[in-house]
């Protein structure tokens, strides 16, 4: 009997050991997948996807926003993993270039992108040029794509992070070619590519871990020049240092926004002090706007002013990974020595592409900027007025956004970073709140962007008659917490007209509304 009992105990211990081993193995796999989602595709294995959290096709078929119900259509596109590839709307169609330089086109009425037989300017390096051991070169390749009509032809402009095999170095390169409309329509073209511009110097080393953070987003300026956002290629002055590469100095093109004359190739540095580019777009004010990855925290939206210095790597709202500061920043947590960003996101969202909203599809979003994110798998609608971001509305798409474009109608096309899809976003309801109504005012003030289930602000349900600052558990400002009385028309109107005057230190931003509109908004909340 004693031997039987011992055997039973051994079996239980053995079973426990096996179970613990399986648990640790699954946890290890989940951790690897979570940190490297672009390297795994479990879309055909829903069971394993559920265990690891690496869901394949998880983009929502509909999105809810303050102003619109948004329909999301999934369009088949080439699988394109890595830091690159782009989409561009042109002539009623949408074009796509993959990171390795394959061209595709989506024509009206089709449900999938079809490949165009067109060679890129050069082959993307995918072998060990720099190192004796294997390295990940997924950050090399084609970054952005622009198309413009020039007479009867189409001008194609591409940017890339290109390796110079002969000199064993890497640089940002812009190339152009002219092709006929007919050739594009037939799905075949033989472009004669010419190199327009190449960043200097060609980077031969970046502490053994390059190329990273190359950027490459482009935008055409009003004066006809082309702007490109060039990253620091991972040369941040702390983790990696390379002679001749410094976002702060004007003797190199890295960590800069550069304007290029396409006829002569002459270039001018518009701004410096940038880190890892996300997107570049002309804003509603005609100025150049950009999105930029911070380190850990400190993602930025910047309005580019010629000659301005935006601080990196000497100043940032972010910190070094795993720490509470950035080693080169003398004023951790502040940004007072260089040009501040117009808006900063802390924690980081891993921002990607940026585009200006126009067209009839989402008329109430006209002149807003639409921003993609990778880490948070969402779009952000940036409401721009007088050179400021008034608010940022999250649109929870559920897909890592590598690039996006807006067509002439105003439909948004989003390129998935790790799945073979492009998502088309259109007005799903076919109608929006009528301008001037309380509903439209509530939306325009972006009340629901914070007063929702996110916990960013207290709920507005049955607000009238409630004690001021009475939502249990919400961290009100000290001034608002000390306010006595109840919310009535007079108190609510005073708060909306001047939140800081009503309760100094309140986190409530002043609504972008006139006094008459605020009266109508109070009517809506009272009703």
């Amino acid at each position: 009997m004693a031997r039987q009992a011992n055997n039973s105990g051994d079996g239980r211990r053995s079973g426990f050991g096996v179970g613990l081993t399986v648990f640790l193995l699954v946890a290890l796999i989940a951790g690897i997948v979570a940190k490297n989602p672009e390297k795994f595709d479990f879309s055909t294995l829903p069971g394993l996807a559920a265990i690891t959290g690496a869901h394949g096709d998880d983009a929502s078929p509909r999105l809810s926003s303050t102003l619109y119900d948004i329909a999301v259509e999934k369009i088949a596109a080439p699988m394109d993993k890595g830091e690159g590839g782009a989409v561009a709307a042109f002539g009623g169609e949408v074009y796509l270039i993959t990171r390795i330089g394959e061209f595709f086109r989506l024509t009206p009425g089709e449900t999938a992108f079809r490949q165009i037989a067109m060679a890129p300017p050069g082959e993307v390096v995918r072998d060990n040029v720099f190192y004796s051991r294997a390295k990940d070169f997924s950050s090399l390749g084609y970054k952005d794509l622009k198309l413009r009509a020039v007479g009867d032809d189409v001008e194609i402009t591409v940017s890339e992070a290109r390796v110079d095999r002969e000199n064993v170095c890497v640089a940002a390169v812009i190339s152009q070619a002219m092709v006929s409309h007919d050739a594009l329509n037939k799905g075949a073209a033989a472009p004669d590519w010419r190199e327009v511009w190449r960043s200097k110097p060609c980077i031969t080393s970046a502490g053994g871990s390059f190329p990273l953070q190359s950027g490459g987003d482009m935008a055409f300026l009003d004066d006809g020049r082309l702007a490109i956002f060039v990253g620091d290629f991972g040369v941040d002055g702390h983790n990696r240092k390379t002679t001749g590469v410094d976002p702060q100095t004007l003797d190199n093109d890295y960590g800069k926004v550069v304007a290029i004359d396409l006829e002569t190739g002459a270039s001018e540095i518009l701004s410096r002090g940038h880190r890892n580019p996300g997107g570049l777009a002309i804003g509603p004010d005609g100025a150049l706007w950009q999105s930029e990855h911070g380190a850990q925290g400190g993602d930025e939206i910047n309005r580019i002013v010629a000659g301005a210095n935006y601080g990196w790597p000497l100043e940032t709202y972010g910190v070094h990974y795993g720490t509470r500061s950035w080693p080169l920043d003398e004023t951790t947590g502040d940004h007072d020595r260089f040009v501040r960003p117009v808006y900063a996101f802390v924690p980081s969202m891993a921002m990607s592409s940026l585009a200006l909203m126009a067209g009839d599809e989402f008329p109430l979003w006209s002149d807003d900027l639409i921003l993609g994110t990778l880490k948070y798998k969402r779009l952000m609608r940036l409401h721009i007025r007088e050179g400021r971001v008034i608010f940022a509305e999250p649109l929870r798409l559920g897909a890592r956004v590598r690039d996006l474009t807006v067509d002439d109608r105003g439909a948004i096309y989003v390129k998935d970073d790790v799945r073979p899809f492009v998502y088309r976003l259109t007005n799903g309801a076919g109608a929006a709140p009528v301008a001037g109504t309380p509903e439209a005012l509530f939306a325009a003030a972006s009340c629901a962007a914070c007063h929702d289930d996110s916990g960013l602000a207290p709920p507005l349900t049955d607000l009238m008659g409630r004690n001021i600052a009475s939502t249990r558990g919400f961290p009100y400002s000290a001034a608002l917490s000390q306010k006595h009385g109840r919310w009535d028309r007079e108190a609510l109107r005073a708060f909306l007209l001047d939140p800081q005057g009503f309760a100094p230190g309140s986190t409530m931003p002043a609504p972008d509304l006139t006094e008459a509109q605020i009266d109508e908004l109070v009517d809506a909340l009272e009703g």
Side-chain angles (χ1 to χ4, degrees), residues 261-279:
D261 185 315
L262 296 173
E263 294 298 323
T264 66
S267 63
E268 174 193 4
I269 292 175
L270 293 181
S271 63
R272 55 178 161 155
H274 301 292
R275 183 179 180 268
N276 184 7

Short mmCIF file of all heavy atoms in Angstrom, two decimals, residues 261-279:
data_model
loop_
_atom_site.label_atom_id
_atom_site.label_comp_id
_atom_site.label_asym_id
_atom_site.label_seq_id
_atom_site.Cartn_x
_atom_site.Cartn_y
_atom_site.Cartn_z
N ASP A 261 14.52 70.20 -55.06
CA ASP A 261 14.12 70.65 -56.40
C ASP A 261 14.25 69.46 -57.33
O ASP A 261 15.35 68.95 -57.57
CB ASP A 261 15.04 71.80 -56.84
CG ASP A 261 14.60 72.41 -58.17
OD1 ASP A 261 14.29 71.64 -59.11
OD2 ASP A 261 14.61 73.64 -58.27
N LEU A 262 13.13 69.01 -57.88
CA LEU A 262 13.13 67.78 -58.68
C LEU A 262 13.83 67.95 -60.02
O LEU A 262 14.22 66.95 -60.64
CB LEU A 262 11.70 67.30 -58.89
CG LEU A 262 10.97 66.88 -57.61
CD1 LEU A 262 9.50 66.58 -57.90
CD2 LEU A 262 11.64 65.68 -56.96
N GLU A 263 13.97 69.17 -60.49
CA GLU A 263 14.65 69.39 -61.77
C GLU A 263 16.16 69.37 -61.60
O GLU A 263 16.88 68.78 -62.40
CB GLU A 263 14.21 70.74 -62.36
CG GLU A 263 12.74 70.78 -62.75
CD GLU A 263 12.41 69.77 -63.84
OE1 GLU A 263 13.26 69.55 -64.74
OE2 GLU A 263 11.31 69.20 -63.78
N THR A 264 16.65 70.03 -60.56
CA THR A 264 18.10 70.17 -60.38
C THR A 264 18.68 69.21 -59.36
O THR A 264 19.89 68.97 -59.35
CB THR A 264 18.45 71.60 -59.95
OG1 THR A 264 17.89 71.84 -58.64
CG2 THR A 264 17.85 72.61 -60.93
N GLY A 265 17.83 68.69 -58.48
CA GLY A 265 18.33 67.84 -57.40
C GLY A 265 18.86 68.62 -56.22
O GLY A 265 19.28 68.03 -55.21
N ALA A 266 18.84 69.95 -56.31
CA ALA A 266 19.31 70.78 -55.20
C ALA A 266 18.39 70.60 -53.99
O ALA A 266 17.17 70.50 -54.14
CB ALA A 266 19.35 72.24 -55.62
N SER A 267 18.98 70.57 -52.81
CA SER A 267 18.19 70.32 -51.61
C SER A 267 18.45 71.37 -50.53
O SER A 267 19.49 72.01 -50.51
CB SER A 267 18.49 68.93 -51.06
OG SER A 267 19.85 68.84 -50.65
N GLU A 268 17.46 71.51 -49.65
CA GLU A 268 17.55 72.43 -48.53
C GLU A 268 16.99 71.75 -47.30
O GLU A 268 15.91 71.13 -47.35
CB GLU A 268 16.75 73.70 -48.82
CG GLU A 268 16.67 74.66 -47.65
CD GLU A 268 15.63 75.75 -47.83
OE1 GLU A 268 14.90 75.72 -48.86
OE2 GLU A 268 15.53 76.62 -46.94
N ILE A 269 17.70 71.83 -46.18
CA ILE A 269 17.19 71.29 -44.92
C ILE A 269 16.17 72.27 -44.35
O ILE A 269 16.50 73.42 -44.04
CB ILE A 269 18.34 71.05 -43.92
CG1 ILE A 269 19.24 69.92 -44.42
CG2 ILE A 269 17.78 70.71 -42.54
CD1 ILE A 269 20.47 69.68 -43.56
N LEU A 270 14.92 71.83 -44.26
CA LEU A 270 13.86 72.68 -43.72
C LEU A 270 13.86 72.69 -42.21
O LEU A 270 13.63 73.72 -41.58
CB LEU A 270 12.50 72.21 -44.23
CG LEU A 270 12.21 72.37 -45.73
CD1 LEU A 270 10.81 71.88 -46.04
CD2 LEU A 270 12.37 73.82 -46.16
N SER A 271 14.07 71.52 -41.59
CA SER A 271 14.06 71.43 -40.13
C SER A 271 14.95 70.30 -39.69
O SER A 271 15.27 69.39 -40.47
CB SER A 271 12.63 71.23 -39.62
OG SER A 271 12.09 70.00 -40.08
N ARG A 272 15.35 70.33 -38.44
CA ARG A 272 16.24 69.31 -37.89
C ARG A 272 15.76 68.90 -36.50
O ARG A 272 14.79 69.44 -35.98
CB ARG A 272 17.66 69.84 -37.83
CG ARG A 272 17.81 71.13 -37.06
CD ARG A 272 19.25 71.59 -37.00
NE ARG A 272 19.37 73.01 -36.68
CZ ARG A 272 20.44 73.55 -36.12
NH1 ARG A 272 21.47 72.79 -35.81
NH2 ARG A 272 20.49 74.85 -35.87
N GLY A 273 16.50 67.94 -35.91
CA GLY A 273 16.14 67.49 -34.58
C GLY A 273 15.01 66.49 -34.55
O GLY A 273 14.19 66.50 -33.63
N HIS A 274 14.97 65.60 -35.57
CA HIS A 274 13.92 64.59 -35.65
C HIS A 274 14.49 63.19 -35.41
O HIS A 274 15.66 62.93 -35.66
CB HIS A 274 13.23 64.65 -37.01
CG HIS A 274 12.63 65.99 -37.32
ND1 HIS A 274 11.54 66.49 -36.63
CD2 HIS A 274 12.96 66.94 -38.25
CE1 HIS A 274 11.23 67.68 -37.12
NE2 HIS A 274 12.07 67.98 -38.09
N ARG A 275 13.62 62.28 -34.99
CA ARG A 275 14.05 60.92 -34.65
C ARG A 275 13.60 59.91 -35.71
O ARG A 275 14.29 59.68 -36.70
CB ARG A 275 13.52 60.53 -33.28
CG ARG A 275 13.97 59.14 -32.79
CD ARG A 275 13.42 58.84 -31.40
NE ARG A 275 13.84 57.53 -30.93
CZ ARG A 275 13.16 56.41 -31.09
NH1 ARG A 275 11.97 56.45 -31.71
NH2 ARG A 275 13.61 55.26 -30.63
N ASN A 276 12.44 59.35 -35.50
CA ASN A 276 11.95 58.25 -36.34
C ASN A 276 10.66 58.68 -37.04
O ASN A 276 9.62 58.77 -36.41
CB ASN A 276 11.70 57.01 -35.48
CG ASN A 276 11.29 55.80 -36.30
OD1 ASN A 276 11.31 55.83 -37.52
ND2 ASN A 276 10.89 54.74 -35.62
N PRO A 277 10.72 58.95 -38.34
CA PRO A 277 9.55 59.49 -39.04
C PRO A 277 8.37 58.53 -39.08
O PRO A 277 8.53 57.32 -39.21
CB PRO A 277 10.08 59.74 -40.46
CG PRO A 277 11.56 59.85 -40.30
CD PRO A 277 11.91 58.91 -39.19
N GLY A 278 7.18 59.12 -38.96
CA GLY A 278 5.96 58.38 -39.18
C GLY A 278 5.36 58.80 -40.51
O GLY A 278 5.41 58.08 -41.49
N GLY A 279 4.80 60.01 -40.56
CA GLY A 279 4.17 60.49 -41.78
C GLY A 279 4.48 61.95 -42.04
O GLY A 279 5.00 62.67 -41.18
#
